[in-house]
Amino acid sequence: MEKITSLQVAERAGVSQSAVSRVFTPGASASAKTIAKVRKAAAELGYRPNMMARAMITGKSRIIGLVVAYLDNQFYPLALQLLSNALQEKGYHILVFSASNSQGASEEVMQELLDYQVDGIITASVGMTNDLTKRCAAAGIPVVMFNRGQEGAAISSVTSANKAGGRAVAEFLLSCGHTRLGHISGWSGSSTGRDRQAGFFETLTAKGIEPLILDGMFDRETAAAAAQTMMESANPPQAIFVGNDHMAFAVLDTLRQEMGLSVPDDVAIVGYDDVPLAAWPAYNLSTMRQPLNRMVEATVDTLLTRIEDPSTPTQRIEIHSPLIQRGTTKGPNI
């Protein structure tokens, strides 16, 4: 079967070949009348624009690579959906890759993205080594880290204000009258885990309180075991701050179902993220709400700005979060 060309579409529609190109180029200008004629002619002829050929001509693939870890965490599928929708509205196509946080796996995935000649990359909770950062810069491909930061100014990042969030949880639990406090942190190798822990720890130690801290690794089983260890200790905490909701659900299941404890009567629990499941009656979790829509908007704007103007400086954007009080805590309303 003969392949239909843009020239044939132009002849059928009675317009120039460049007009056909503009109609099928996201963001290009064409009148409503021209768009209607060209799309009608294309549908009649069965024309499909050759995106790869256009990429070779323009040097732009209009493809964004999304690299994500922790897809079992309910926060990330929702974030991916919103990021994909926002980018598609801007005329970009999405390639999604799942990667672990091991250096070898991340490097392999990033090399695949470079081979696809993507216009930009968003990493969601995936670390970037200095070597990967340099390779992306050398290839002229901007990268924005979503929900993860990196020291220095070599790469843009968008997160919630994690350290401030940790402080807010500490202050809230103190205001509830708790003095024995625990923290099941996120993975200490991640900026989000470290920053939430630092805000919580520094606020408490400034008041002479030494919290019990165990690394939950952003993993359900690890967090559940940590909760059991804490509550079986000689001086168990009155309240536990869990580094994200994904772990907090495992903690709640362990405390209630396996240990027979009442939450919040025996121990109060606060999470971080406010995924939709947190509001379900089975959990009714008090938690820090990550401003997901604003984080997505900032991520997309930052990436597309750097695609259009590579000289734009990198940014480290932090967006503050509110604490949502539900049934796993009791105390003063905030």
Side-chain angles (χ1 to χ4, degrees):
M1 183 176 178
E2 182 183 356
K3 187 174 183 179
I4 303 300
T5 67
S6 60
L7 178 60
Q8 290 171 291
V9 175
E11 291 172 346
R12 171 69 71 94
V15 299
S16 67
Q17 191 172 10
S18 63
V20 174
S21 178
R22 289 196 301 274
V23 168
F24 289 103
T25 300
S29 176
S31 68
K33 183 178 179 181
T34 297
I35 292 172
K37 288 197 297 184
V38 169
R39 290 201 175 277
K40 181 174 184 292
E44 291 171 352
L45 294 171
Y47 169 74
R48 292 180 179 274
N50 188 331
M51 303 303 294
M52 296 307 294
R54 180 176 300 151
M56 292 176 66
I57 295 169
T58 64
K60 297 291 185 183
S61 66
R62 298 199 73 84
I63 297 173
I64 302 298
L66 297 179
V67 187
V68 64
Y70 302 119
L71 275 172
D72 54 341
N73 177 350
Q74 299 87 348
F75 178 76
Y76 287 106
L78 182 57
L80 278 180
Q81 180 183 348
L82 294 177
L83 284 166
S84 296
N85 291 345
L87 288 164
Q88 286 168 358
E89 286 176 3
K90 300 290 187 179
Y92 284 84
H93 305 278
I94 314 301
L95 278 178
V96 178
F97 287 80
S98 178
S100 71
N101 266 296
S102 68
Q103 182 174 336
S106 296
E107 288 185 352
E108 184 177 335
V109 167
M110 296 299 280
Q111 184 57 56
E112 285 191 60
L113 285 173
L114 294 176
D115 292 343
Y116 274 103
Q117 298 184 336
V118 296
D119 289 345
I121 296 172
I122 296 172
T123 65
S125 203
V126 175
M128 287 284 291
T129 64
N130 289 333
D131 180 56
L132 283 176
T133 300
K134 290 175 182 177
R135 283 162 61 190
C136 290
I141 298 175
V143 179
V144 179
M145 300 179 75
F146 176 85
N147 203 37
R148 181 69 65 85
Q150 180 170 292
E151 294 298 325
I155 198 164
S156 293
S157 63
V158 177
T159 66
S160 63
N162 289 301
K163 193 169 183 179
R167 285 197 298 267
V169 174
E171 290 165 356
F172 168 66
L173 292 176
L174 289 173
S175 74
C176 294
H178 302 303
T179 55
R180 298 195 315 274
L181 297 168
H183 177 42
I184 299 174
S185 69
W187 177 46
S188 59
S190 70
S191 64
T192 49
R194 291 193 305 271
D195 289 348
R196 292 170 192 176
Q197 176 180 320
F200 187 72
F201 179 81
E202 291 169 9
T203 302
L204 295 177
T205 54
K207 298 181 180 296
I209 296 173
E210 188 81 19
L212 174 59
I213 297 178
L214 296 176
D215 192 338
M217 300 293 294
F218 287 135
D219 177 75
R220 280 183 55 87
E221 292 184 2
T222 306
Q228 188 157 355
T229 297
M230 283 186 176
M231 297 311 297
E232 290 177 346
S233 65
N235 199 23
Q238 299 163 313
I240 302 173
F241 169 36
V242 188
N244 70 6
D245 290 353
H246 180 63
M247 293 190 297
F249 299 142
V251 168
L252 286 170
D253 289 342
T254 297
L255 296 176
R256 290 168 169 167
Q257 307 303 323
E258 297 183 23
M259 302 188 72
L261 297 174
S262 172
V263 179
D265 294 328
D266 293 322
V267 58
I269 302 294
V270 176
Y272 205 113
D273 282 341
D274 196 29
V275 299
L277 191 61
W280 287 21
Y283 292 110
N284 199 22
L285 175 66
S286 294
T287 185
M288 293 296 297
R289 173 177 291 166
Q290 290 227 69
L292 185 53
N293 287 319
R294 293 168 61 198
M295 289 169 65
V296 165
E297 181 181 358
T299 300
V300 171
D301 287 348
T302 300
L303 183 67
L304 299 191
T305 297
R306 296 212 66 218
I307 289 173
E308 294 301 320
D309 182 5
S311 67
T312 303
T314 58
Q315 299 183 74
R316 296 182 66 183
I317 299 172
E318 293 187 350
I319 304 174
H320 282 267
S321 308
L323 197 155
I324 307 302
Q325 187 176 353
R326 297 194 180 99
T328 58
T329 57
K330 59 181 179 180
N333 291 326
I334 56 174

